[in-house]
């Protein structure tokens, strides 16, 4: 289901489920990141639910907190602080990573055109959410994501564009989410 009228990149708060019909498969990226075949198959077969809280804290810093529910009730949390500051974490699936996040205008965004295209005018006006995650483990890779609102088949959807690079390989994926409610 598309996002409701008035939904904006300025406030992504809500509950979303993965739309596996409109989304690309994550299998190639997960394989390149070293995720086992069995785990990749479980991930691809499952629906993911995101509970997003998007807000500005008391210090005026934009934040996005995400509770992600996956297969078997497996729940993880992501706390994104949009200051473009490195944050070290131990990802249960990928191992040790460094991540940073920010709001960015399209003309400030370097990298693949795929990260910059397909967004609504409102998303472009206010800026995309950009994440950069790089491995600190055995394999060396970088995953850059842009988040925003995209018009697809007559509706508007919360969408993520992912660009993976590592070990001489590149992969791109679009993830589309259905809006469930607040």
């Amino acid at each position: 289901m598309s996002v409701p009228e008035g939904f904006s990149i300025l406030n992504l708060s809500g509950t979303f489920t993965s739309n596996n019909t409109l989304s690309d498969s994550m299998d190639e990226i997960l394989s390149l990141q070293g995720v086992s075949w069995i785990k990749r198959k479980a991930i691809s077969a499952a629906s993911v639910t995101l509970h997003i809280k998007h807000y500005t804290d008391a210090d005026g810093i934009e934040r996005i907190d995400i509770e992600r529910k996956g297969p078997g009730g497996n729940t993880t949390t992501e706390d994104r602080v949009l200051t473009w500051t490195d944050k070290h974490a131990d990802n249960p699936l990928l191992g040790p990573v460094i991540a940073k996040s920010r709001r960015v205008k399209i003309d400030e965004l370097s990298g693949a055109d795929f990260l910059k295209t397909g967004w609504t005018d409102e998303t472009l006006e206010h800026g995309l959410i950009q994440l950069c995650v790089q491995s600190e483990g055995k394999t060396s890779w970088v995953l850059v994501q842009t988040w925003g609102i995209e018009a697809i088949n007559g509706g508007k959807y919360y969408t993520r564009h992912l660009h993976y690079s590592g070990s001489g390989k590149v992969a791109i994926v679009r993830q589309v989410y259905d809006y469930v409610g607040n």
Side-chain angles (χ1 to χ4, degrees), residues 132-154:
C132 181
V133 181
Q134 66 185 54
S135 67
E136 287 191 296
K138 298 176 209 166
T139 59
S140 177
W141 52 263
V142 175
L143 181 66
V144 178
Q145 299 182 30
T146 49
W147 300 356
I149 310 301
E150 189 170 357
I152 304 169
N153 299 336

Side-chain angles (χ1 to χ4, degrees), residues 26 30 43 46-52 65-71 73-78 93 160 175 177:
M26 285 291 296
L30 292 170
I43 290 167
S47 181
V48 172
T49 300
L50 304 177
H51 299 283
I52 299 176
D65 297 342
I66 302 170
E67 180 184 80
R68 181 184 184 279
K69 292 186 180 181
N74 183 22
T75 300
T76 58
T77 58
E78 300 175 41
L93 185 63
R160 297 177 177 187
Q175 293 180 310
Y177 294 89

Side-chain angles (χ1 to χ4, degrees), residues 121-132:
D121 290 342
E122 182 268 340
T123 296
L124 296 175
E125 176 185 347
H126 297 293
L128 299 160
I129 305 299
Q130 179 189 17
L131 282 75
C132 181

Side-chain angles (χ1 to χ4, degrees), residues 44-177:
S44 69
S47 181
V48 172
T49 300
L50 304 177
H51 299 283
I52 299 176
K53 180 182 175 187
H54 189 170
Y55 61 102
T56 301
D57 69 16
D59 295 323
I61 296 172
E62 188 175 11
R63 295 175 173 266
I64 301 175
D65 297 342
I66 302 170
E67 180 184 80
R68 181 184 184 279
K69 292 186 180 181
N74 183 22
T75 300
T76 58
T77 58
E78 300 175 41
D79 297 326
R80 303 292 180 185
V81 181
L82 305 187
T83 58
W84 207 237
T85 303
D86 287 351
K87 179 181 176 182
H88 296 264
D90 191 17
N91 183 293
L93 185 63
L94 304 173
V97 297
I98 301 171
K100 56 186 175 182
S101 311
R102 67 178 175 170
R103 180 175 297 279
V104 62
K105 295 283 190 164
I106 199 86
D107 58 346
E108 300 170 40
L109 187 61
S110 61
D113 286 341
F114 174 73
L115 297 170
K116 305 173 190 179
T117 59
W119 305 110
T120 61
D121 290 342
E122 182 268 340
T123 296
L124 296 175
E125 176 185 347
H126 297 293
L128 299 160
I129 305 299
Q130 179 189 17
L131 282 75
C132 181
V133 181
Q134 66 185 54
S135 67
E136 287 191 296
K138 298 176 209 166
T139 59
S140 177
W141 52 263
V142 175
L143 181 66
V144 178
Q145 299 182 30
T146 49
W147 300 356
I149 310 301
E150 189 170 357
I152 304 169
N153 299 336
K156 292 181 180 179
Y157 293 84
Y158 167 57
T159 307
R160 297 177 177 187
H161 290 194
L162 289 71
H163 181 274
Y164 168 93
S165 59
S167 304
K169 306 217 184 227
V170 172
I172 58 172
V173 168
R174 178 176 78 170
Q175 293 180 310
V176 180
Y177 294 89

